[in-house]
Amino acid sequence: MKWTRWYIIIMVALVVLYMIAEYNRPKVIDWRPTYSNRDKIPYGTYIVYNEMKAFFDGLKPKEMREPFYNHVNNSEETGGIYFFINGWFDCTNEDVDELYNFISAGNTVFIAAERYADTFINKFKVDAEWYLDSASGMSDSTSINFASPALRTRRGHVLEKNTLEGYFSRIDTANTAVLGNNNHGKPNFIKTTIGDGKLYLHAVPRAFTNIFILKNDNASYINKVFSHLPKNPSAIYWDEFAKQGRGGPDTPLRVILTRPELKWAYYLALAGM
């Protein structure tokens, strides 16, 4: 019994020491482009989501944790703005049809993505690519700006090299206005009028992440982008379904397993028992 008691004491002490070491270990920066409104990492969208009420006179966005089809299907709403910010915008034929109807009814849709599904490309006659230097084969777009002289800045808005390369390689020139471009003259921010509404597309979703906003005067870029949108929308919707999935309660075990230090402490405790 005495040996068992000392064994338990030693195991508990090891677990406690491990947890202390993990807690005090320098945090490794997570550079994944999650675009999630809950992430404070460099490529999360925590800042722009929580500051959006400042852009729209105190109106807070509503986090959407269901497929946008469920919301826009047969919707009679007008005057709303629906935001999608992600690396990849995926949708079915039914999705794009309902999205088209939602815009036509008098709503605004804002999508910032590097890639778009073929269904979206075919419906809205637009496609996005990354700029590649023909000599080196490497991306080299280092700044973004506006087409309007009144909004342009001399230097443009800068982030680390190879992060702002997205641009639209195909647009419907008959119905589309170019609002912004990169330092190679490629369009990366466009507006299309559809019925009584507007579709805004941005090819550089990283321009809306935490690290971009905190660099230099880049926050002013976001202000200028949003200045193109309706000033007093009836509602603001922010899509998180594509990034976080459906909403649900966070159980204690789920929280533990998403934190590396807690996860390994939990495993060690199980092994000790």
Side-chain angles (χ1 to χ4, degrees):
M1 291 296 294
K2 182 180 293 186
W3 181 89
T4 302
R5 184 170 63 253
W6 278 107
Y7 174 79
I8 294 174
I9 292 173
I10 291 172
M11 288 302 301
V12 170
L14 288 174
V15 170
V16 170
L17 288 174
Y18 177 82
M19 292 180 67
I20 293 173
E22 285 294 319
Y23 182 80
N24 291 285
R25 186 177 65 176
K27 301 298 181 183
V28 177
I29 298 176
D30 186 350
W31 290 99
R32 291 176 302 143
T34 64
Y35 303 110
S36 173
N37 66 349
R38 298 190 180 185
D39 285 343
K40 299 179 182 180
I41 60 178
Y43 292 124
T45 56
Y46 178 86
I47 295 177
V48 70
Y49 176 79
N50 285 279
E51 292 299 322
M52 189 164 288
K53 58 183 180 292
F55 301 122
F56 298 100
D57 296 328
L59 184 61
K60 296 181 180 180
K62 180 181 179 181
E63 181 185 281
M64 305 302 290
R65 296 289 295 275
E66 62 178 3
F68 68 85
Y69 178 89
N70 294 1
H71 177 75
V72 304
N73 182 31
N74 297 322
S75 172
E76 297 182 358
E77 181 177 5
T78 61
I81 303 178
Y82 214 129
F83 283 90
F84 301 86
I85 298 180
N86 204 0
W88 161 251
F89 186 76
D90 193 15
C91 52
T92 64
N93 285 320
E94 292 76 15
D95 292 334
V96 294
D97 288 341
E98 289 298 333
L99 196 65
Y100 188 94
N101 294 335
F102 181 72
I103 299 170
S104 298
N107 296 288
T108 299
V109 170
F110 182 97
I111 305 173
E114 295 170 348
R115 296 177 298 138
Y116 296 81
D118 289 341
T119 51
F120 186 90
I121 293 171
N122 296 332
K123 181 72 173 183
F124 294 101
K125 301 177 183 178
V126 63
D127 199 3
E129 295 183 12
W130 280 15
Y131 176 82
L132 294 177
D133 183 86
S134 58
S136 64
M138 297 296 290
S139 302
D140 195 30
S141 178
T142 56
S143 68
I144 54 180
N145 219 322
F146 294 94
S148 169
L151 298 178
R152 290 182 64 84
T153 61
R154 185 176 60 85
R155 292 182 60 250
H157 299 272
V158 184
L159 192 59
E160 280 72 14
K161 189 174 181 178
N162 302 333
T163 57
L164 305 177
E165 317 90 337
Y167 72 96
F168 292 106
S169 56
R170 174 191 175 194
I171 60 176
D172 181 5
T173 55
N175 301 299
T176 300
V178 175
L179 304 177
N181 45 49
N182 61 22
N183 58 309
H184 299 286
K186 305 285 188 179
N188 59 16
F189 181 31
I190 60 177
K191 176 187 71 174
T192 301
T193 299
I194 301 173
D196 294 329
K198 300 287 192 298
L199 171 64
Y200 291 86
L201 298 177
H202 204 292
V204 189
R206 297 193 187 201
F208 302 90
T209 59
N210 303 322
I211 189 172
F212 180 85
I213 294 173
L214 295 175
K215 291 280 187 178
N216 304 317
D217 66 339
N218 287 347
S220 67
Y221 179 83
I222 307 299
N223 275 293
K224 293 174 183 177
V225 167
F226 288 166
S227 71
H228 292 84
L229 306 180
K231 304 298 182 185
N232 299 296
S234 59
I236 300 174
Y237 305 101
W238 177 283
D239 178 72
E240 280 293 315
F241 174 77
K243 294 166 281 189
Q244 296 189 52
R246 293 186 182 274
D250 290 331
T251 65
L253 186 59
R254 180 180 176 184
V255 173
I256 289 173
L257 295 179
T258 56
R259 297 290 300 275
E261 62 271 22
L262 295 178
K263 179 176 68 175
W264 285 109
Y266 174 72
Y267 289 157
L268 280 174
L270 289 179
M273 288 187 291

